């Protein structure tokens, strides 16, 4: 099987990618391996509990959140290709003073950490952006998702997988724990345009806006309803696992705007979650939307900006966008 190093070399040759970009991706793969190791030993080392602090989002941090964040920060600091980083767990960007490097890194070090104690799937999400020439500050990170150079995630589940895009399709790699190598096991992942499966947190139903209410009610109505077919619902509460299902099996994932999140724009973070996952989905033939516009076209206003997220099968996302077209995006 093709290992990650050979795959990256092939991509660089075929698409004339800068070696520095593929080397930066290889560094992030190392970070994901290290995080997988820490998660696998978390209970044995007593690292499965909560840390005595909150992140900038106001969320209670887990010990493994902090460990995972430190791993990514240290790997990025050691890389000659990463000039600065922004993390979901850090209030401000970290700029490596004096380092002349071409890229910025944004990442969510441990997505779905509420599932850690349940031994369910968790993951890491990352995105690479171009660094500006000269002075770098936090404003340099405020780039729309369509300017990403590479994006991906690691899924720590029954096996550790790395799924990534460099702008030319989506590829999945599985970690061989004995050899410590990622091997290509899921080439050219694609999302079918139609589906009979949706993923959403139904406990939030009473807060949803009318377009989402309508869409989910039609799915639940099944064959006897206007859609004329039955749907299955799934929910893992880890975005990495939800998007991985889309890429492997198809479907649509929703974390829509609701009456509680209108003031802050949504629930999920634009830079750390929505943009990298949205680009992966679109590279696999799906669509990524806020309901009112393409996620990758949203101009970020702050490092921790939130946004509504609808990802997956093209026909379903287009239907949801049609339903949203009759509503006020700020209501």
């Amino acid at each position: 099987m093709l290992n990650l190093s050979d795959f990256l070399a092939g991509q660089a040759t075929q698409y004339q990618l800068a070696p520095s970009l593929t080397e930066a991706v290889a560094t992030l793969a190392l970070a994901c391996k290290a995080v997988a190791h820490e998660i696998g030993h978390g209970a044995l080392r007593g690292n499965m509990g909560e840390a005595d602090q909150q992140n900038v989002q106001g969320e209670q941090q887990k010990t493994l959140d902090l460990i995972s964040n430190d791993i990514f920060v240290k790997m990025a600091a050691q890389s000659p290709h990463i000039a600065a980083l922004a993390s979901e767990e850090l209030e401000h960007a970290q700029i490596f003073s004096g380092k002349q490097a071409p890229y910025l890194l944004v990442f969510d070090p441990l997505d779905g950490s509420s599932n850690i104690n349940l031994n369910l799937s968790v993951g890491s999400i990352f995105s690479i952006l171009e660094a500006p020439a000269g002075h770098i500050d936090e404003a340099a990170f405020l780039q729309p998702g369509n300017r990403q150079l590479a994006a991906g995630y690691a899924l720590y589940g029954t096996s550790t997988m790395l799924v990534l895009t460099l702008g030319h399709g989506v590829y999945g790699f599985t970690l061989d724990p004995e050899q410590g190598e990622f091997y290509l096991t899921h080439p050219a992942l694609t999302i079918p345009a139609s589906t009979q499966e949706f993923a959403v947190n139904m406990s939030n139903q009473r807060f949803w806006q009318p377009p989402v209410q309508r869409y989910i009610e039609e799915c639940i109505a099944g064959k006897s309803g206007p859609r004329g077919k039955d749907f299955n619902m799934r929910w893992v509460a880890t975005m990495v696992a939800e998007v991985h299902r889309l890429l492997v099996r198809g479907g649509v994932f929703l974390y829509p705007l609701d009456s509680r999140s209108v003031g802050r724009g949504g629930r999920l973070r634009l830079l750390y979650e929505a943009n990298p996952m949205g680009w992966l989905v679109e590279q696999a033939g799906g669509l990524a939307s806020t309901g009112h516009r393409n996620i990758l076209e949203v101009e970020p206003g702050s490092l921790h900006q939130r946004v509504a997220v609808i990802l997956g099968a093209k026909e379903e996302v287009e239907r949801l966008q049609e339903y949203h077209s009759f509503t006020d995006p700020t209501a």
Side-chain angles (χ1 to χ4, degrees), residues 15-297:
Y15 299 108
Q16 298 181 330
L17 303 177
S20 56
L21 178 61
T22 56
E23 290 171 13
V25 171
T27 295
L28 297 177
L30 289 175
C32 293
K33 288 182 194 177
V35 172
H37 180 80
E38 290 296 331
I39 291 171
H41 291 79
L44 299 172
R45 295 176 178 173
N47 290 332
M48 301 296 280
E50 294 185 349
D52 294 326
Q53 62 189 71
Q54 293 182 334
N55 62 15
V56 64
Q57 321 291 339
E59 300 163 340
Q60 185 66 40
Q61 291 174 307
K62 306 287 186 181
T63 302
L64 281 171
D65 284 322
L66 303 179
I67 292 172
S68 301
N69 190 73
D70 287 346
I71 287 171
F72 273 91
V73 170
K74 289 176 182 177
M75 289 286 187
Q78 293 168 5
S79 169
H81 308 302
I82 298 174
L85 62 83
S87 167
E88 183 180 310
E89 299 298 331
L90 301 175
E91 183 175 1
H92 298 291
Q94 184 166 334
I95 296 151
F96 303 122
S97 180
K99 186 193 287 190
Q100 299 297 315
Y103 306 118
L104 306 174
L105 169 65
V106 296
F107 64 97
D108 178 354
L110 195 59
D111 173 63
S113 57
S114 61
N115 281 334
I116 287 173
N117 287 330
L118 304 177
N119 204 24
L120 298 177
S121 296
V122 294
S124 301
I125 309 171
F126 60 83
S127 172
I128 296 176
L129 302 167
E130 184 176 5
H135 176 69
I136 296 175
D137 56 18
E138 290 193 352
F141 290 88
L142 305 183
Q143 303 180 34
N146 55 23
R147 291 174 58 184
Q148 294 173 99
L149 301 176
Y153 62 81
L155 174 65
Y156 313 115
T158 53
S159 60
T160 294
M161 286 195 64
L162 179 71
V163 178
L164 61 87
T165 183
L166 292 94
H168 304 282
V170 180
Y171 297 85
F173 302 81
T174 301
L175 180 64
D176 182 337
E178 295 179 356
Q179 298 188 40
E181 286 271 9
F182 280 110
Y183 289 97
L184 180 63
T185 52
H186 295 67
L189 288 163
T190 57
I191 299 173
S194 62
T195 186
Q196 290 178 245
E197 191 164 275
F198 65 93
V200 70
N201 185 348
M202 288 294 293
S203 68
N204 295 329
Q205 183 175 11
R206 65 192 185 279
F207 303 112
W208 293 337
Q209 295 180 321
V212 177
Q213 295 274 12
R214 174 185 175 184
Y215 175 79
I216 298 300
E217 286 172 2
E218 290 179 353
C219 291
I220 292 173
K223 286 184 178 180
S224 61
R227 299 301 304 275
K229 61 181 181 179
D230 291 328
F231 282 78
N232 290 323
M233 193 202 85
R234 299 286 184 264
W235 187 250
V236 182
T238 299
M239 189 182 189
V240 167
E242 305 290 359
V243 171
H244 190 71
R245 188 193 310 110
L246 297 184
L247 292 170
V248 173
R249 199 168 70 188
V252 62
F253 165 81
L254 301 89
Y255 215 121
L257 194 67
D258 63 36
S259 61
R260 300 166 304 170
S261 61
V262 167
R264 55 183 182 177
R267 175 68 176 82
L268 300 180
R269 267 65 65 161
L270 176 61
L271 291 181
Y272 314 115
E273 297 166 321
N275 275 346
M277 292 308 209
W279 195 34
L280 282 163
V281 165
E282 294 212 347
Q283 281 290 310
L287 289 180
S289 176
T290 65
H292 293 278
R293 62 182 304 190
N294 188 294
I295 282 174
L296 302 182
E297 296 175 354

